[in-house]
Amino acid sequence: MSLFDHKVSELQALLHKKEINVSDLVDASFKRISEVDGKVQAFLTLDEEQARLKAVALDEKLGKEEGSLFGMPIGIKDNIVTKNLRTTCASKILENFDPIYNATVMDKLHKADTITIGKLNMDEFAMGSSNENSGFQKTFNPWNLETVPGGSSGASATSVAAGEVPFSLGSDTGGSIRQPASFCGVVGMKPTYGLVSRYGLVAFASSLDQIGPITNTVEDNAALLGAIAGHDRMDSTSANVSIPDYASALTGDVKGMKIAVPKEYLGEGVSPEAKQSVLDALKVLENLGAEWEEVSLPHSKYALATYYLLSSSEASANLSRFDGVRYGYRTPDAENLIDMYKKTRAEGFGDEVKRRIMLGTFALSSGYYDAYYKKAQKVRTLIKKDFDDVLAKYDVIVGPTTPTPAFKIGENTSDPMTMYANDILTIPMNLAGVPAISVPCGFAAGLPLGLQIIGKHFDESSVYRAAHAFEQATDFHKQKPQL
């Protein structure tokens, strides 16, 4: 049994009794990486020297350790800024970028005495649903190396599913934590917009991006979210709300909980296996004392178009800073300033990033702004109202995380619209800003399926309560890929 088959609370107990030390955990992480990362290709950069030095320092504190994450190794998605540790966003345009400051979440993790193992691969600038858009390498799904791990936080999910680290951080703009969590059979949470600071998260779409935890269990997820959540004066969109003890919600008791099931989430395009896994999950929750009813989120059908207009518009503005002047890649053969801008961006960005910059620039351009961007913002308001109306009457909303299990590598690369449709069930929550979690709920052709549980703004506790009760009543989370 691997050390990382234990829950974080169990590892904490072993540390407290001095049956293991922090160096053992770090050794286990790097040993597993050496064994399997050649197959799954999750890590872009390892921080082995600093990780081992910190482990030795924390070993001196054993017996006096504090906090629920003490000594835990963690992987970090490569769009989260890490001081003196290369941060590339999996893009050639940032391939040699070594930041001089930390993202707020990194400072919080250091305060919690976690140990950063390294930086994880991703779709370039978080734009993608399969991890095939990285500028450096593809990441593979540990359940089947011929399939994608999801994206853009595919490697964050892979590293946990493959047992390389007990947990990781990802970012979620339109499903980029939950979709890979579903494909890789792990737990992924997109918190309420504003709960976790975005300071130091390289921006894709600022009104949609959120950092969140990917873990093996709901309990571990709640512990990690508790460590990174909270108000940050460095982020103007950070919400000044009190952070509850999420662990106190993990009672296993959902008696009287009211669950809404949108008919749109079990309709056309959702595979029979995904639909059946949700219906089976609802039976489990019903047997535990919850009650559910079918509802409608009528504007969901517009979410995909709304999301790609808004996110691409924000991306075109956010990515304008990568121009070869201040940092990052600069073309070596420019004849003048304009030529330098053009060649730097043409050579530094990948095709998917260019596609979205062009779409966003078009939507924001004179004569098209009202027809596209402004209209999309109005539809976003309607989508949010749908959620507000349903969540006024119900505790949580439940549906599948993805319409299908993981697809084969290369299957959708030539068809952007099919690739975009993979996020159809996760995008509406980002537009509405509500929290949502994916937990393992079944298998199709040997590949994991995810159950998505959605809550009210800043009510992660109810989401965790339902997710934990379902997890405890099933054993999907105990099944591991055989690499």
Side-chain angles (χ1 to χ4, degrees):
M1 184 179 183
S2 161
L3 276 175
F4 300 149
D5 288 336
H6 293 281
K7 291 188 295 188
V8 168
S9 59
E10 293 168 345
L11 293 175
Q12 290 297 320
L14 292 172
L15 285 170
H16 195 65
K17 294 178 201 165
K18 297 193 178 178
E19 291 181 21
I20 60 169
N21 61 24
V22 179
S23 294
D24 292 332
L25 292 172
V26 170
D27 288 343
S29 184
F30 285 115
K31 181 173 183 289
R32 183 64 174 167
I33 289 168
S34 71
E35 290 169 352
V36 304
D37 207 64
K39 298 176 186 175
V40 297
Q41 299 188 165
F43 281 91
L44 287 175
T45 306
L46 293 173
D47 197 20
E48 189 163 358
E49 183 181 352
Q50 290 304 313
R52 293 191 184 281
L53 285 172
K54 186 168 183 184
V56 171
L58 292 181
D59 283 338
E60 297 294 316
K61 292 169 71 175
L62 277 177
K64 304 185 286 286
E65 75 273 7
E66 292 180 2
S68 59
L69 304 182
F70 177 85
M72 293 297 111
I74 186 168
I76 305 295
K77 187 176 178 179
D78 206 25
N79 60 345
I80 297 171
V81 169
T82 44
K83 187 176 181 180
N84 300 325
L85 180 60
R86 187 147 295 173
T87 301
T88 69
C89 293
S91 177
K92 294 280 174 69
I93 211 160
L94 282 175
E95 64 183 338
N96 295 316
F97 179 55
D98 296 319
I100 57 172
Y101 72 99
N102 264 328
T104 295
V105 291
M106 296 310 302
D107 286 338
K108 285 177 174 279
L109 288 175
H110 292 322
K111 191 176 176 184
D113 284 329
T114 65
I115 296 180
T116 301
I117 295 298
K119 303 301 287 293
L120 293 158
N121 193 30
M122 55 186 282
D123 286 298
E124 184 182 4
F125 283 102
M127 297 180 189
S129 307
S130 66
N131 238 124
E132 294 171 283
N133 294 327
S134 168
F136 303 116
Q137 64 192 36
K138 286 184 175 72
T139 296
F140 302 95
N141 190 322
W143 288 91
N144 180 340
L145 296 173
E146 293 181 0
T147 61
V148 302
S152 60
S153 308
S156 297
T158 289
S159 63
V160 175
E164 297 179 311
V165 284
F167 45 48
S168 66
L169 287 187
S171 68
D172 193 311
T173 307
S176 288
I177 286 172
R178 291 158 289 149
Q179 186 242 26
S182 176
F183 280 4
C184 294
V186 291
V187 180
M189 165 67 99
K190 181 206 89 73
T192 306
Y193 183 80
L195 184 74
V196 177
S197 172
R198 290 186 303 107
Y199 179 73
L201 173 67
V202 179
F204 162 18
S206 306
S207 75
L208 300 160
D209 300 338
Q210 268 294 270
I211 296 170
I214 296 177
T215 59
N216 282 305
T217 68
V218 175
E219 182 185 308
D220 290 356
N221 206 278
L224 184 49
L225 181 62
I228 62 172
H231 181 248
D232 178 20
R233 62 183 182 81
M234 300 296 286
D235 174 9
S236 62
T237 61
S238 175
N240 195 356
V241 295
S242 59
I243 307 303
D245 174 18
Y246 297 121
S248 65
L250 310 183
T251 61
D253 178 18
V254 288
K255 282 190 182 69
M257 181 174 258
K258 296 180 73 178
I259 297 170
V261 181
K263 62 182 182 183
E264 292 83 3
Y265 291 7
L266 295 175
E268 188 183 348
V270 176
S271 71
E273 297 92 342
K275 182 175 180 178
Q276 190 58 50
S277 71
V278 171
L279 295 173
D280 292 345
L282 288 167
K283 279 182 198 155
V284 171
L285 291 165
E286 208 171 18
N287 290 337
L288 293 170
E291 50 193 76
W292 66 274
E293 291 175 355
E294 187 174 84
V295 298
S296 178
L297 294 170
H299 295 97
S300 294
K301 60 186 174 185
Y302 306 117
L304 203 63
T306 301
Y307 169 82
Y308 278 101
L309 277 168
L310 295 179
S311 65
S312 298
S313 296
E314 292 184 29
S316 88
N318 279 325
L319 270 61
S320 64
R321 71 194 69 175
F322 301 105
D323 53 13
V325 176
R326 287 153 289 194
Y327 48 78
Y329 172 77
R330 177 187 294 178
T331 186
D333 60 349
E335 294 178 11
N336 53 49
L337 185 63
I338 301 300
D339 195 42
M340 190 268 286
Y341 288 152
K342 287 180 178 177
K343 286 185 176 174
T344 293
R345 289 167 69 80
E347 294 162 14
F349 288 138
D351 288 347
E352 183 59 33
V353 174
K354 290 175 188 170
R355 185 181 290 123
R356 299 201 196 191
I357 289 172
M358 288 166 69
L359 173 61
T361 305
F362 172 77
L364 291 173
S365 61
S366 176
Y368 297 100
Y369 178 91
D370 284 355
Y372 293 106
Y373 181 78
K374 190 174 177 183
K375 189 173 283 185
Q377 287 287 24
K378 289 178 177 179
V379 176
R380 180 181 189 171
T381 302
L382 295 174
I383 291 168
K384 179 183 177 295
K385 186 176 182 302
D386 283 351
F387 280 97
D388 290 345
D389 290 347
V390 169
L391 288 167
K393 301 171 193 166
Y394 297 88
D395 297 305
V396 292
I397 299 169
V398 163
T401 309
T402 58
T404 65
F407 48 89
K408 289 216 162 137
I409 286 166
E411 191 176 317
N412 295 330
T413 45
S414 61
D415 186 356
M417 293 310 294
T418 301
M419 188 74 84
Y420 294 168
N422 277 285
D423 298 332
I424 198 159
L425 297 170
T426 53
I427 277 170
M429 297 90 226
N430 295 80
L431 292 169
V434 293
I437 198 169
S438 178
V439 292
C441 72
F443 290 88
L447 293 167
L449 293 165
L451 178 74
Q452 185 169 211
I453 303 170
I454 304 141
K456 300 169 182 155
H457 290 99
F458 302 107
D459 188 16
E460 278 75 6
S461 292
S462 290
V463 175
Y464 279 135
R465 181 182 155 208
H468 181 256
F470 173 75
E471 181 187 76
Q472 295 307 297
T474 57
D475 63 357
F476 300 114
H477 65 291
K478 294 177 182 174
Q479 299 182 48
K480 304 292 178 190
Q482 300 302 310
L483 270 169

